[in-house]
Amino acid sequence: MNAFEIEHVSKQYPGFALQDVSLTLPSGCILGLVGENGAGKSTTIRLLMNTIQRDTGRIRVLGTDVDSPEFAAVKEDVGIVLDEAYFPEVLSARQIGHVLRRLYRRWDSAVYERYLKRFGLPDKRPFKDYSRGMKMKLAIAAALSHSPRLLVLDEATSGLDPIVRDEILDLFIEFTRQEEHSILLSSHITSDLEKGCDYIAFLHQGRLYFCEEKDRLAEEYGIVSGSAAQLAALPDGAVLRTQAGPYGSRALVRRAAIGRLGELPIEPASIEDIMLFTVKGVERV
Amino acid sequence: MTGLLLKDLYTLGRQMRIYILLILIFALLPGNTLYAFAIMYAAMLPYTALAYDERSHWIQLARMMPCTTMQLAACKYVLGWLAVAVATVFTAVGTALSPLWGVARQEALDHLVSLPALIGAALLMMAVSLPLMFRFGVERGRSLFWIFLIVFALAVPLLAAQSSGSGGESPVVFWLIAAGLPAAGILAQPVSIALSAKWLAASER
């Protein structure tokens, strides 16, 4: 079963449009949704949770159509972490626990307490007095305390220091050890996605450029650096996009199509490289 | 729903102490129409709760949780009803006891008789303003509240005059206000809740 399926979804706003997005997250996997600020990541998440109305397409979460009345019950199985956490400012972690215990049927206070201790979160301090890292940890603790099957995280790691980010990413990997657990992780920090994700989806200006297995991206794409003449000599169909710089040119290439290059090495292409070539590179004619 | 209500009670914790103090002062001050404002003031609590929600973007998160827009909207009304009920009890007790500190018995009786109309006015105020706040935000909704309050402030002396000047036989206008306002206030609640839920759902679409 898939954790969710988004099929040909579009949403038009004045000045922005999410266009014909299709995404599928198989159960037990982590999908990283990457893109610059304003690319449409948060809009995609809101559409997924049906808090905004899509113009076209179809969305199913944990096997249930988001438009059906049954989707209200499915929300019990979805843990949500939004970019600013959005808990009431004056509530303490303990009070937030009391509130959420009455909103989620499967809320487990012991699990919540354990996470508060694990993250070193003071349970009586008002939420507004938490640092950003503490806020995100609290939101993650809350999201994990009602036995979700799907975690949806919108920019949960941005603005956090590398140690906290690493700690949180380890937690996500731990969560997906159970086969039926899945994560949608939206971020513009590609290194976070490289660490834990099974799939990477790249959104740019409301369009989905690719959604691929992370390992396949590494296998399929590479970077070749050289002079413009050297890159021009590469076989047809191998060069996807090129970038000219002051000290030479670089090309995003398809490894399988390129064959042996002699003295030109093929470097691994990171997610960031693929994104930058996709957005800023020039298509070879 | 209880979780949402508990969240509002926690959020308003400090404000509620001030509200209760003001309601007590309004309710117990003798010989004026401030007692009426105790009830109207209580009906304002949902606005404050909604303003807190707006500031923290709580609604955005709550809509992704297992609660419906109907529950999110209705919760604010329940909070208002509870606050009005508490203020009414304080006011009724204060008014009933007011002859002890020199208020004329007839005046105290008139105040007690006007309580249902005041409750009706408070419910009507909520019914009119809350959907607008869910749709357009608390700030713009508050503007409407002040218009309502001015109209109400002008109507209270009229109600008081009608009530005290009625003698044994009350005029039609008095009964229209005394019975019409509570009826209108109660009947408006389900319609208003449905409208609030609809506009809340539409607010982010």
Side-chain angles (χ1 to χ4, degrees), chain B residues 162 169-180:
Chain B
Q162 291 293 338
E169 201 172 19
S170 298
V172 174
V173 68
F174 169 75
W175 286 111
L176 270 178
I177 294 169

Side-chain angles (χ1 to χ4, degrees), chain A residues 11 46 50-53 75 85-89 91 95 98-99 102-104, chain B residues 2-4 6-7 10-11 55-58 60-61 63-66 204-205:
Chain A
K11 172 73 182 172
R46 286 180 190 185
N50 204 31
T51 63
I52 52 173
Q53 187 75 55
K75 287 180 178 176
Y86 298 161
F87 287 124
E89 291 178 342
L91 265 63
Q95 289 172 326
H98 291 163
V99 170
R102 287 164 177 84
L103 291 180
Y104 288 99
Chain B
T2 53
L4 297 172
L6 182 66
K7 191 273 302 169
Y10 280 145
T11 305
R55 206 162 93 176
S56 63
H57 302 281
W58 159 257
Q60 206 172 313
L61 176 64
R63 289 192 59 199
M64 296 190 182
M65 291 177 171
E204 284 188 44
R205 305 221 147 195

Side-chain angles (χ1 to χ4, degrees), chain B residues 73-145:
Chain B
C75 165
K76 294 292 180 278
Y77 289 80
V78 174
L79 178 70
W81 299 338
L82 289 174
V84 167
V86 170
T88 304
V89 169
F90 281 160
T91 306
V93 171
T95 308
L97 294 176
S98 63
L100 295 177
W101 48 84
V103 176
R105 288 178 73 89
Q106 184 57 48
E107 191 182 345
L109 195 63
D110 287 344
H111 287 179
L112 281 175
V113 168
S114 67
L115 283 181
L118 287 170
I119 296 167
L123 293 179
L124 263 184
M125 183 180 77
M126 281 168 51
V128 171
S129 56
L130 279 175
L132 292 167
M133 288 190 182
F134 277 113
R135 182 70 183 93
F136 301 110
V138 174
E139 271 316 304
R140 279 189 276 177
R142 260 190 221 278
S143 310
L144 189 98
F145 162 73

Side-chain angles (χ1 to χ4, degrees), chain A:
Chain A
M1 184 170 118
N2 291 321
F4 67 76
E5 294 143 28
I6 297 176
E7 292 170 14
H8 304 292
V9 166
S10 300
K11 172 73 182 172
Q12 180 88 41
Y13 285 114
F16 173 77
L18 195 74
Q19 299 164 61
D20 195 28
V21 169
S22 294
L23 273 176
T24 297
L25 171 60
S27 285
C29 297
I30 304 179
L31 170 66
L33 187 59
V34 67
E36 77 283 6
N37 292 328
K41 304 188 294 292
S42 297
T43 302
T44 304
I45 286 174
R46 286 180 190 185
L47 287 164
L48 184 76
M49 295 308 293
N50 204 31
T51 63
I52 52 173
Q53 187 75 55
R54 63 196 178 278
D55 298 332
T56 62
R58 182 166 164 261
I59 301 176
R60 289 170 71 82
V61 175
L62 298 168
T64 304
D65 194 299
V66 296
D67 290 326
S68 69
E70 291 78 31
F71 184 60
V74 170
K75 287 180 178 176
E76 292 273 355
D77 293 318
V78 184
I80 293 285
V81 179
L82 299 180
D83 55 350
E84 292 290 338
Y86 298 161
F87 287 124
E89 291 178 342
V90 295
L91 265 63
S92 65
R94 180 176 290 181
Q95 289 172 326
I96 288 169
H98 291 163
V99 170
L100 297 181
R101 185 159 53 109
R102 287 164 177 84
L103 291 180
Y104 288 99
R105 285 181 194 159
R106 290 200 308 274
W107 181 262
D108 189 330
S109 298
V111 170
Y112 182 63
E113 292 292 327
R114 268 207 305 277
Y115 276 118
L116 293 188
K117 275 195 186 131
R118 177 175 171 175
F119 292 146
L121 296 171
D123 61 353
K124 287 181 185 162
R125 194 187 296 178
F127 182 69
K128 67 177 159 61
D129 293 341
Y130 275 19
S131 66
R132 175 164 166 89
M134 290 161 91
K135 284 179 180 176
M136 296 324 291
K137 283 178 176 177
L138 178 62
I140 290 163
L144 289 169
S145 297
H146 54 91
S147 311
R149 286 192 285 153
L150 170 63
L151 268 186
V152 176
L153 307 131
D154 190 8
E155 299 284 2
T157 56
S158 63
L160 303 181
D161 66 67
I163 296 165
V164 175
R165 276 194 357 240
D166 197 62
E167 197 182 339
I168 286 173
L169 287 169
D170 284 339
L171 191 69
F172 295 161
I173 293 167
E174 190 182 308
F175 174 78
T176 49
R177 283 204 187 113
Q178 286 193 47
E179 211 173 286
E180 72 277 16
H181 286 179
S182 319
I183 299 180
L184 170 65
L185 173 61
S186 110
S187 179
H188 58 264
I189 304 170
T190 52
S191 59
D192 287 352
L193 304 182
E194 249 155 343
K195 180 173 178 186
C197 292
D198 303 294
Y199 292 86
I200 303 289
F202 174 44
L203 267 177
H204 175 59
Q205 293 178 345
R207 280 184 56 207
L208 183 70
Y209 275 68
F210 59 78
C211 180
E212 296 265 12
E213 274 182 59
K214 184 187 73 185
D215 295 340
R216 212 172 141 243
L217 282 174
E219 282 165 19
E220 192 170 343
Y221 300 106
I223 304 285
V224 174
S225 303
S227 66
Q230 283 172 313
L231 297 188
L234 295 174
D236 285 341
V239 178
L240 297 166
R241 302 183 81 87
T242 59
Q243 272 185 331
Y247 307 107
S249 296
R250 298 170 79 223
L252 178 70
V253 297
R254 209 184 293 278
R255 283 173 183 273
I258 204 152
R260 296 177 74 85
L261 292 177
E263 74 275 17
L264 285 180
I266 305 178
E267 299 159 21
S270 65
I271 295 167
E272 193 165 317
D273 287 328
I274 299 170
M275 273 172 60
L276 290 174
F277 269 100
T278 307
V279 175
K280 291 185 165 178
V282 177
E283 204 166 347
R284 188 181 180 187
V285 254

